[in-house]
Amino acid sequence: MESRTTRRNRQKQRKRLGKTSYFLLFGLAVLSGLLITTIVKFKLEENHINMAMNQLVQSETTRQQVSGQMLETYQDNKNIASLLFLPTGGEKTLPESLKSGLIEHMQTAIKKVKGKGNRKALIIASLKKQQVAAKVEGFVSAINSYHWEARQNKFVAQAAEEQSMIYLNPATYQKISMKDLVATEEDLLGLQRVVTEKLLSETPAGQEKTVFDLPGLTFETTIDYTPEKITIALPQTVNGQNAVAITYQEMAAYVRQDFFAEPKETTPTEALPSKAIALTFDDGPLPATTMELLPILAQYNVPASFFMLGSNVEKYPEVVKAVHQGGHVIGSHSYSHPQLPSLAPEVLRQEVQRTDQAIYQLTGEVPKNFRPPYGAVDGPTAKIIGKAIIQWDVDSEDWRSLNTTKIVERVKGSVDDGSIILMHDIYPETIQAVPQIIEALKTQGYQFVTVNQLLANQQKPLHQYFGQQDERKIQ
Ligand code: NI
């Protein structure tokens, strides 16, 4: 028999159990209610973000299309969506390298966002195209991104990341090359001289030979183009550098202008007098005669052009400096006065380089003009010389007559507008003839200028000049 007490206890227990399950059920109901609300809320928010994302994708696509970009791919990777735009490029296809570079840029951006935690983001990669010059297109790989900011309840634009511009020739969609920029061999030789002078200006005194010994530029020489300057790879290290930068202004005379945005800065050429002529003196300098000539030229205010022998330049540096300070033009007449076309190429190169180096060390300028001994020059020779060849149309024949009166008469008898007059500043008879020649020709209305002025500084390598109006290409 069960006692009363036991029964009462059991009844109590049952009551308590009923209460507990009631509370449990109630709790469960509250919990699931909360859960449902959270889920609904979450779903609502997700919808909201997705809608915002869709709107953003729409507006960005429209915006990119307006600026000439076409949607290439759209990816939605869980939290991070990405859009890849490429320029609408007509019939030509973009180089694969540009596209793969942009994709790589985009992947890096996606990784960066993932690294910042699980947040909603939109990444927009585009390849912006820009017409840099008539024959140059520039491409920039750009990443724009938006991150979801929960507090602001919207997508917020992040700072854009742009890579440096890549320049291509739209005709080939290749990088701009030396062949693109430089049209002719004479321009290449002209550019060579600019490079030499630039390198020399950066070279410590005494080490100039490393510059003069550099092999010349070729159409295959590697360059790195920007619209402001090109960086030219050097075949050998100079001053510890393996490249040299040349600004557009420095090379404007030798490069195609449709590859550059800025118009060529035309140095205002002084209007030349109609009866301009140039006195030229070869084979010097010699202290006795050249130092006598300089005060005469100064007295009449006549600038002249001296074609010096490298051997004499080395022997008489003070005379070279005096000529330079007198405002005259110094050109090269080779080192030892040989018949140039008969020389082996390497010997000829030495004749030119030794003289250039000697003149540069005294004047800080590499001669731009060359007069071959005896006027003897041919195609291969002119190519190695690499300078404008200055011939003459009036020969004083001073070396033959060694007679002041005959020298004066010969020049007076054959001079014409734009003449280049050949004399030698190594004969006393020539020096004595100069005042008479200047006075007689000035009376006839002639005006004396340097060969650079006579040719308006437009003379080019591989061309020879017999007078202002007589330019011939050397074949
Ligand atoms: Ni000579």
Side-chain angles (χ1 to χ4, degrees), residues 450-464:
T450 66
V451 290
N452 288 345
Q453 291 169 316
L454 191 76
L455 302 171
N457 255 317
Q458 300 294 305
Q459 68 269 39
K460 285 192 168 179
L462 295 182
H463 288 240
Q464 52 185 339

Side-chain angles (χ1 to χ4, degrees), residues 6 16 21-22 45 56 79 91 99 108 144 146 174 207 279 301 310 316 332 379 398 405 407 444 450 460:
T6 334
R16 213 182 290 147
S21 34
Y22 174 77
E45 192 179 285
L56 199 54
N79 286 322
E91 62 284 1
K99 202 174 146 183
T108 314
N144 289 84
Y146 293 87
Q174 301 287 314
Q207 289 174 38
L279 289 181
N301 200 19
Y316 310 115
S332 170
D398 51 354
T405 314
I407 296 169
Q444 291 179 34
T450 66
K460 285 192 168 179

Side-chain angles (χ1 to χ4, degrees), residues 1 57 64 66 91 194 224 253 256 357 368 426 432 451:
M1 274 289 268
V57 169
Q64 295 283 350
V66 168
E91 62 284 1
V194 175
D224 191 27
R256 285 197 177 103
Q357 198 177 327
K368 183 177 181 177
I426 55 170
Q432 281 160 34
V451 290

Side-chain angles (χ1 to χ4, degrees), residues 60-61 63-74 82-90 92-106 124-130 138-143 173:
E60 276 299 319
T61 308
R63 198 172 67 87
Q64 295 283 350
Q65 274 167 354
V66 168
S67 59
Q69 304 275 322
M70 223 174 54
L71 184 60
E72 178 85 0
T73 56
Y74 171 65
S82 57
L83 300 170
L84 184 89
F85 291 94
L86 290 175
T88 41
K92 268 170 295 175
T93 45
L94 281 173
E96 231 8 78
S97 61
L98 276 187
K99 202 174 146 183
S100 58
L102 178 65
I103 291 172
E104 207 174 292
H105 195 185
M106 185 176 77
I124 301 145
S126 61
L127 199 57
K128 292 185 194 161
K129 189 168 94 171
Q130 193 186 321
F139 294 89
V140 175
S141 155
I143 301 289
Y173 266 148

Side-chain angles (χ1 to χ4, degrees), residues 211-244:
V211 176
F212 285 106
D213 282 349
L214 268 185
L217 299 175
T218 71
F219 285 114
E220 276 68 45
T221 299
T222 308
I223 61 162
D224 191 27
Y225 165 97
T226 74
E228 295 78 35
K229 62 167 198 241
I230 61 168
T231 307
I232 303 174
L234 297 173
Q236 281 156 223
T237 316
V238 176
N239 309 323
Q241 295 189 357
N242 52 18
V244 60

